[in-house]
Amino acid sequence: MRVLIVEDEPKMASLIRRGLTAEGMAVDVAASGDDAVWMGAATDYDAIVLDVMLPGRDGFEVCERLRADRVWSPILMLTARDSVADRIAGLDRGADDYLTKPFSYAELLARLRALVRRGRPERPAQLEAAGLRLDPASRRVWRGDEQIALSAKEFALLETMMRRPGQILSRFELLEHAWNYEYENRSNVVDSYIRFLRRKIDKPFGTDSIETVRGAGYRLREEAET
């Protein structure tokens, strides 16, 4: 098992490296965010231990950049900042787990083992399909470089479809994921919001992203038609 430690404090980096090496792991150390970005992309690590407070790029930026570069190695973030907001920021940017300092080395090792057992399926922090880009954390949507303003329900409906591009989703499935249970299956609310979405994400750009599949539901095309 090969692990990258991203830590700018030499003593802390040395302690973690020594402990993991004693467990039979191969360990590399990066002392800055910039080093972490190129090392993480250059080597197929089984896990990355990433400190938040780093010179240059901080751990949040490093995590986001690695995921943007399609590096899917599990990331365990380490930080002395234990606020809920910081934990949410790390997880939303693509981290898999979060451990606050000071920590138990035994717990660090156990969390690393758990992350490696899960494997590393692709899990981009942002969704992309049909020429659209959606950020669930900041609740923003773009076509190209232009940001599109959506209501909360429009966003929820589009997010549901962007998580399943190319798949036919029935009205019931869309209701189940984007609305509460007060709506019945026969409600035309989905059809109405599909129209709202088309007016915002397609019509101004001369594109056609959402396909109506007669008798079945709707499908978000993987590539928008013009």
Side-chain angles (χ1 to χ4, degrees):
M1 181 165 135
R2 193 174 194 90
V3 178
L4 174 63
I5 301 168
V6 187
E7 172 61 69
D8 67 316
E9 295 181 14
K11 184 176 180 180
M12 175 66 73
S14 178
L15 286 171
I16 298 175
R17 182 176 192 172
R18 192 181 312 133
L20 296 183
T21 301
E23 296 290 332
M25 302 181 195
V27 182
D28 297 325
V29 175
S32 71
D34 289 337
D35 286 345
V37 168
W38 74 259
M39 291 175 70
T43 302
D44 187 21
Y45 289 104
D46 295 292
I48 297 174
V49 179
L50 176 60
D51 188 36
V52 169
M53 303 299 290
L54 295 168
R57 301 173 192 261
D58 66 17
F60 298 137
E61 293 175 281
V62 171
C63 186
E64 191 169 38
R65 176 60 186 274
L66 288 173
R67 295 314 190 211
D69 290 343
R70 307 186 69 77
V71 175
W72 306 118
S73 302
I75 294 177
L76 172 62
M77 299 197 81
L78 298 179
T79 182
R81 294 155 54 175
D82 61 353
S83 73
V84 173
D86 285 334
R87 293 199 296 273
I88 291 172
L91 295 170
D92 276 343
R93 294 196 187 193
D96 298 274
D97 203 355
Y98 209 102
L99 189 59
T100 57
K101 299 176 180 178
F103 56 84
S104 158
Y105 173 73
E107 183 179 4
L108 170 67
L109 191 59
R111 286 177 182 266
L112 278 177
R113 287 195 299 260
L115 287 178
V116 173
R117 281 198 303 270
R118 293 178 202 166
R120 44 177 148 180
E122 294 189 6
R123 46 188 182 280
Q126 295 185 351
L127 307 176
E128 296 188 31
L132 297 163
R133 181 163 52 93
L134 181 147
D135 186 343
S138 65
R139 304 194 67 77
R140 293 184 293 172
V141 178
W142 300 264
R143 183 175 288 285
D145 294 328
E146 185 168 340
Q147 188 172 335
I148 303 170
L150 299 180
S151 70
K153 285 302 177 191
E154 290 165 350
F155 186 93
L157 181 60
L158 181 60
E159 181 181 1
T160 299
M161 300 183 79
M162 287 189 70
R163 291 189 182 279
R164 301 165 179 81
Q167 296 182 27
I168 300 173
L169 297 174
S170 68
R171 289 170 177 81
F172 176 76
E173 288 175 301
L174 293 171
L175 279 169
E176 189 176 42
H177 286 278
W179 276 271
N180 295 324
Y181 289 108
E182 66 264 22
Y183 288 97
E184 297 181 9
N185 190 27
R186 63 176 178 270
S187 170
N188 66 355
V189 67
V190 171
D191 302 321
S192 297
Y193 273 86
I194 289 290
R195 288 196 298 272
F196 298 156
L197 267 181
R198 283 171 167 158
R199 290 173 192 163
K200 292 185 177 182
I201 69 172
D202 282 336
K203 188 174 180 180
F205 303 93
T207 59
D208 183 11
S209 301
I210 302 174
E211 178 185 2
T212 301
V213 183
R214 191 175 297 277
Y218 295 97
R219 172 167 50 205
L220 182 72
R221 293 185 171 96
E222 297 187 52
E223 298 292 336
E225 294 186 357
T226 57

mmCIF file of all heavy atoms in Angstrom, residues 2-34:
data_model
loop_
_atom_site.group_PDB
_atom_site.id
_atom_site.type_symbol
_atom_site.label_atom_id
_atom_site.label_comp_id
_atom_site.label_asym_id
_atom_site.label_seq_id
_atom_site.Cartn_x
_atom_site.Cartn_y
_atom_site.Cartn_z
ATOM 1 N N ARG A 2 0.641 2.162 -0.935
ATOM 2 C CA ARG A 2 1.447 3.379 -1.063
ATOM 3 C C ARG A 2 0.617 4.583 -0.640
ATOM 4 O O ARG A 2 -0.497 4.774 -1.122
ATOM 5 C CB ARG A 2 1.945 3.550 -2.487
ATOM 6 C CG ARG A 2 3.032 4.619 -2.607
ATOM 7 C CD ARG A 2 3.625 4.668 -3.999
ATOM 8 N NE ARG A 2 4.869 5.441 -3.982
ATOM 9 C CZ ARG A 2 6.063 4.922 -3.775
ATOM 10 N NH1 ARG A 2 6.172 3.627 -3.562
ATOM 11 N NH2 ARG A 2 7.143 5.682 -3.761
ATOM 12 N N VAL A 3 1.175 5.399 0.256
ATOM 13 C CA VAL A 3 0.453 6.532 0.840
ATOM 14 C C VAL A 3 1.248 7.814 0.630
ATOM 15 O O VAL A 3 2.484 7.821 0.758
ATOM 16 C CB VAL A 3 0.207 6.309 2.354
ATOM 17 C CG1 VAL A 3 -0.492 7.512 2.974
ATOM 18 C CG2 VAL A 3 -0.605 5.044 2.580
ATOM 19 N N LEU A 4 0.543 8.899 0.320
ATOM 20 C CA LEU A 4 1.164 10.223 0.246
ATOM 21 C C LEU A 4 0.746 11.020 1.474
ATOM 22 O O LEU A 4 -0.449 11.174 1.741
ATOM 23 C CB LEU A 4 0.711 10.964 -1.015
ATOM 24 C CG LEU A 4 1.181 12.425 -1.138
ATOM 25 C CD1 LEU A 4 2.699 12.507 -1.216
ATOM 26 C CD2 LEU A 4 0.534 13.088 -2.343
ATOM 27 N N ILE A 5 1.727 11.526 2.221
ATOM 28 C CA ILE A 5 1.461 12.408 3.364
ATOM 29 C C ILE A 5 1.736 13.835 2.920
ATOM 30 O O ILE A 5 2.840 14.140 2.455
ATOM 31 C CB ILE A 5 2.360 12.054 4.569
ATOM 32 C CG1 ILE A 5 2.132 10.615 5.018
ATOM 33 C CG2 ILE A 5 2.096 13.020 5.730
ATOM 34 C CD1 ILE A 5 3.175 10.128 6.000
ATOM 35 N N VAL A 6 0.750 14.701 3.077
ATOM 36 C CA VAL A 6 0.918 16.116 2.727
ATOM 37 C C VAL A 6 0.886 16.902 4.029
ATOM 38 O O VAL A 6 -0.181 17.128 4.610
ATOM 39 C CB VAL A 6 -0.181 16.593 1.764
ATOM 40 C CG1 VAL A 6 0.141 18.018 1.283
ATOM 41 C CG2 VAL A 6 -0.323 15.646 0.581
ATOM 42 N N GLU A 7 2.059 17.287 4.511
ATOM 43 C CA GLU A 7 2.189 17.915 5.833
ATOM 44 C C GLU A 7 3.422 18.804 5.832
ATOM 45 O O GLU A 7 4.525 18.340 5.515
ATOM 46 C CB GLU A 7 2.292 16.824 6.903
ATOM 47 C CG GLU A 7 2.625 17.304 8.295
ATOM 48 C CD GLU A 7 1.596 18.244 8.868
ATOM 49 O OE1 GLU A 7 0.479 17.772 9.160
ATOM 50 O OE2 GLU A 7 1.920 19.443 9.018
ATOM 51 N N ASP A 8 3.252 20.084 6.199
ATOM 52 C CA ASP A 8 4.385 21.013 6.159
ATOM 53 C C ASP A 8 5.171 21.060 7.462
ATOM 54 O O ASP A 8 6.243 21.668 7.510
ATOM 55 C CB ASP A 8 3.915 22.416 5.779
ATOM 56 C CG ASP A 8 3.030 23.042 6.841
ATOM 57 O OD1 ASP A 8 2.141 22.329 7.366
ATOM 58 O OD2 ASP A 8 3.197 24.239 7.144
ATOM 59 N N GLU A 9 4.661 20.437 8.527
ATOM 60 C CA GLU A 9 5.414 20.381 9.785
ATOM 61 C C GLU A 9 6.310 19.132 9.758
ATOM 62 O O GLU A 9 5.795 18.006 9.812
ATOM 63 C CB GLU A 9 4.469 20.310 10.977
ATOM 64 C CG GLU A 9 3.610 21.559 11.154
ATOM 65 C CD GLU A 9 2.712 21.458 12.364
ATOM 66 O OE1 GLU A 9 2.946 20.554 13.201
ATOM 67 O OE2 GLU A 9 1.780 22.271 12.461
ATOM 68 N N PRO A 10 7.630 19.301 9.657
ATOM 69 C CA PRO A 10 8.533 18.147 9.510
ATOM 70 C C PRO A 10 8.384 17.087 10.599
ATOM 71 O O PRO A 10 8.413 15.888 10.313
ATOM 72 C CB PRO A 10 9.927 18.786 9.545
ATOM 73 C CG PRO A 10 9.711 20.200 9.083
ATOM 74 C CD PRO A 10 8.364 20.582 9.636
ATOM 75 N N LYS A 11 8.210 17.544 11.851
ATOM 76 C CA LYS A 11 8.107 16.574 12.952
ATOM 77 C C LYS A 11 6.851 15.721 12.798
ATOM 78 O O LYS A 11 6.902 14.488 12.947
ATOM 79 C CB LYS A 11 8.088 17.308 14.294
ATOM 80 C CG LYS A 11 8.079 16.364 15.490
ATOM 81 C CD LYS A 11 8.159 17.129 16.808
ATOM 82 C CE LYS A 11 8.162 16.179 17.995
ATOM 83 N NZ LYS A 11 8.239 16.918 19.286
ATOM 84 N N MET A 12 5.706 16.346 12.492
ATOM 85 C CA MET A 12 4.458 15.603 12.323
ATOM 86 C C MET A 12 4.558 14.660 11.131
ATOM 87 O O MET A 12 4.158 13.493 11.203
ATOM 88 C CB MET A 12 3.289 16.578 12.132
ATOM 89 C CG MET A 12 1.960 15.910 11.827
ATOM 90 S SD MET A 12 1.325 14.903 13.190
ATOM 91 C CE MET A 12 0.809 16.199 14.327
ATOM 92 N N ALA A 13 5.116 15.166 10.020
ATOM 93 C CA ALA A 13 5.255 14.325 8.826
ATOM 94 C C ALA A 13 6.134 13.116 9.113
ATOM 95 O O ALA A 13 5.838 11.987 8.685
ATOM 96 C CB ALA A 13 5.828 15.154 7.678
ATOM 97 N N SER A 14 7.217 13.345 9.860
ATOM 98 C CA SER A 14 8.140 12.258 10.177
ATOM 99 C C SER A 14 7.488 11.207 11.064
ATOM 100 O O SER A 14 7.669 9.994 10.863
ATOM 101 C CB SER A 14 9.379 12.828 10.866
ATOM 102 O OG SER A 14 10.273 11.805 11.227
ATOM 103 N N LEU A 15 6.703 11.663 12.051
ATOM 104 C CA LEU A 15 6.024 10.715 12.945
ATOM 105 C C LEU A 15 5.035 9.829 12.186
ATOM 106 O O LEU A 15 4.984 8.607 12.380
ATOM 107 C CB LEU A 15 5.307 11.483 14.055
ATOM 108 C CG LEU A 15 6.189 12.092 15.146
ATOM 109 C CD1 LEU A 15 5.363 13.009 16.057
ATOM 110 C CD2 LEU A 15 6.864 10.987 15.969
ATOM 111 N N ILE A 16 4.237 10.465 11.322
ATOM 112 C CA ILE A 16 3.253 9.682 10.561
ATOM 113 C C ILE A 16 3.967 8.728 9.608
ATOM 114 O O ILE A 16 3.606 7.556 9.488
ATOM 115 C CB ILE A 16 2.307 10.617 9.782
ATOM 116 C CG1 ILE A 16 1.514 11.508 10.741
ATOM 117 C CG2 ILE A 16 1.342 9.796 8.927
ATOM 118 C CD1 ILE A 16 0.648 12.556 10.050
ATOM 119 N N ARG A 17 4.998 9.244 8.943
ATOM 120 C CA ARG A 17 5.731 8.411 7.987
ATOM 121 C C ARG A 17 6.356 7.208 8.685
ATOM 122 O O ARG A 17 6.267 6.076 8.187
ATOM 123 C CB ARG A 17 6.819 9.239 7.309
ATOM 124 C CG ARG A 17 7.606 8.458 6.263
ATOM 125 C CD ARG A 17 8.604 9.349 5.564
ATOM 126 N NE ARG A 17 9.158 8.715 4.396
ATOM 127 C CZ ARG A 17 9.930 9.314 3.515
ATOM 128 N NH1 ARG A 17 10.236 10.598 3.681
ATOM 129 N NH2 ARG A 17 10.405 8.671 2.474
ATOM 130 N N ARG A 18 6.968 7.445 9.846
ATOM 131 C CA ARG A 18 7.614 6.356 10.573
ATOM 132 C C ARG A 18 6.594 5.292 10.975
ATOM 133 O O ARG A 18 6.844 4.087 10.848
ATOM 134 C CB ARG A 18 8.325 6.906 11.806
ATOM 135 C CG ARG A 18 9.275 5.912 12.476
ATOM 136 C CD ARG A 18 9.928 6.523 13.706
ATOM 137 N NE ARG A 18 10.464 7.845 13.400
ATOM 138 C CZ ARG A 18 10.275 8.917 14.167
ATOM 139 N NH1 ARG A 18 9.571 8.812 15.287
ATOM 140 N NH2 ARG A 18 10.805 10.069 13.828
ATOM 141 N N GLY A 19 5.433 5.747 11.448
ATOM 142 C CA GLY A 19 4.416 4.796 11.878
ATOM 143 C C GLY A 19 3.872 3.971 10.732
ATOM 144 O O GLY A 19 3.713 2.750 10.846
ATOM 145 N N LEU A 20 3.593 4.621 9.596
ATOM 146 C CA LEU A 20 3.038 3.895 8.448
ATOM 147 C C LEU A 20 4.080 2.961 7.835
ATOM 148 O O LEU A 20 3.750 1.854 7.393
ATOM 149 C CB LEU A 20 2.527 4.882 7.395
ATOM 150 C CG LEU A 20 1.360 5.789 7.823
ATOM 151 C CD1 LEU A 20 0.907 6.667 6.667
ATOM 152 C CD2 LEU A 20 0.185 4.974 8.367
ATOM 153 N N THR A 21 5.328 3.405 7.823
ATOM 154 C CA THR A 21 6.390 2.550 7.304
ATOM 155 C C THR A 21 6.543 1.292 8.157
ATOM 156 O O THR A 21 6.774 0.187 7.643
ATOM 157 C CB THR A 21 7.722 3.320 7.259
ATOM 158 O OG1 THR A 21 7.563 4.470 6.416
ATOM 159 C CG2 THR A 21 8.839 2.449 6.699
ATOM 160 N N ALA A 22 6.382 1.454 9.471
ATOM 161 C CA ALA A 22 6.463 0.301 10.369
ATOM 162 C C ALA A 22 5.346 -0.697 10.102
ATOM 163 O O ALA A 22 5.472 -1.886 10.428
ATOM 164 C CB ALA A 22 6.415 0.769 11.826
ATOM 165 N N GLU A 23 4.242 -0.215 9.511
ATOM 166 C CA GLU A 23 3.126 -1.099 9.161
ATOM 167 C C GLU A 23 3.332 -1.759 7.800
ATOM 168 O O GLU A 23 2.460 -2.452 7.299
ATOM 169 C CB GLU A 23 1.826 -0.300 9.144
ATOM 170 C CG GLU A 23 1.424 0.274 10.487
ATOM 171 C CD GLU A 23 0.983 -0.791 11.463
ATOM 172 O OE1 GLU A 23 0.477 -1.843 11.015
ATOM 173 O OE2 GLU A 23 1.144 -0.578 12.683
ATOM 174 N N GLY A 24 4.493 -1.470 7.179
ATOM 175 C CA GLY A 24 4.797 -2.094 5.894
ATOM 176 C C GLY A 24 4.339 -1.297 4.690
ATOM 177 O O GLY A 24 4.338 -1.812 3.562
ATOM 178 N N MET A 25 3.955 -0.044 4.894
ATOM 179 C CA MET A 25 3.491 0.784 3.783
ATOM 180 C C MET A 25 4.648 1.544 3.147
ATOM 181 O O MET A 25 5.638 1.861 3.801
ATOM 182 C CB MET A 25 2.432 1.796 4.269
ATOM 183 C CG MET A 25 1.231 1.169 4.915
ATOM 184 S SD MET A 25 0.029 2.423 5.422
ATOM 185 C CE MET A 25 -1.008 1.445 6.533
ATOM 186 N N ALA A 26 4.501 1.853 1.856
ATOM 187 C CA ALA A 26 5.436 2.746 1.166
ATOM 188 C C ALA A 26 4.896 4.157 1.322
ATOM 189 O O ALA A 26 3.719 4.410 1.025
ATOM 190 C CB ALA A 26 5.545 2.369 -0.299
ATOM 191 N N VAL A 27 5.719 5.093 1.783
ATOM 192 C CA VAL A 27 5.227 6.424 2.137
ATOM 193 C C VAL A 27 6.053 7.508 1.463
ATOM 194 O O VAL A 27 7.289 7.491 1.525
ATOM 195 C CB VAL A 27 5.259 6.641 3.675
ATOM 196 C CG1 VAL A 27 4.705 8.017 4.022
ATOM 197 C CG2 VAL A 27 4.478 5.544 4.389
ATOM 198 N N ASP A 28 5.381 8.460 0.825
ATOM 199 C CA ASP A 28 6.011 9.659 0.283
ATOM 200 C C ASP A 28 5.492 10.864 1.058
ATOM 201 O O ASP A 28 4.372 10.831 1.606
ATOM 202 C CB ASP A 28 5.687 9.834 -1.198
ATOM 203 C CG ASP A 28 6.241 8.695 -2.051
ATOM 204 O OD1 ASP A 28 7.333 8.201 -1.718
ATOM 205 O OD2 ASP A 28 5.590 8.318 -3.042
ATOM 206 N N VAL A 29 6.276 11.931 1.091
ATOM 207 C CA VAL A 29 5.881 13.139 1.821
ATOM 208 C C VAL A 29 5.953 14.344 0.890
ATOM 209 O O VAL A 29 6.942 14.532 0.170
ATOM 210 C CB VAL A 29 6.787 13.375 3.050
ATOM 211 C CG1 VAL A 29 6.438 14.687 3.723
ATOM 212 C CG2 VAL A 29 6.647 12.216 4.040
ATOM 213 N N ALA A 30 4.909 15.163 0.907
ATOM 214 C CA ALA A 30 4.891 16.455 0.215
ATOM 215 C C ALA A 30 4.756 17.535 1.279
ATOM 216 O O ALA A 30 3.906 17.430 2.169
ATOM 217 C CB ALA A 30 3.724 16.528 -0.770
ATOM 218 N N ALA A 31 5.580 18.581 1.184
ATOM 219 C CA ALA A 31 5.591 19.619 2.221
ATOM 220 C C ALA A 31 4.799 20.859 1.828
ATOM 221 O O ALA A 31 4.711 21.804 2.611
ATOM 222 C CB ALA A 31 7.026 20.016 2.550
ATOM 223 N N SER A 32 4.215 20.869 0.633
ATOM 224 C CA SER A 32 3.435 22.030 0.200
ATOM 225 C C SER A 32 2.271 21.576 -0.664
ATOM 226 O O SER A 32 2.256 20.450 -1.196
ATOM 227 C CB SER A 32 4.306 23.008 -0.602
ATOM 228 O OG SER A 32 4.623 22.461 -1.871
ATOM 229 N N GLY A 33 1.309 22.475 -0.825
ATOM 230 C CA GLY A 33 0.155 22.152 -1.654
ATOM 231 C C GLY A 33 0.522 21.926 -3.107
ATOM 232 O O GLY A 33 -0.002 21.018 -3.764
ATOM 233 N N ASP A 34 1.444 22.735 -3.638
ATOM 234 C CA ASP A 34 1.856 22.579 -5.034
ATOM 235 C C ASP A 34 2.520 21.219 -5.263
ATOM 236 O O ASP A 34 2.260 20.554 -6.275
ATOM 237 C CB ASP A 34 2.814 23.701 -5.428
ATOM 238 C CG ASP A 34 2.105 25.042 -5.545
ATOM 239 O OD1 ASP A 34 0.877 25.050 -5.764
ATOM 240 O OD2 ASP A 34 2.771 26.084 -5.412
#
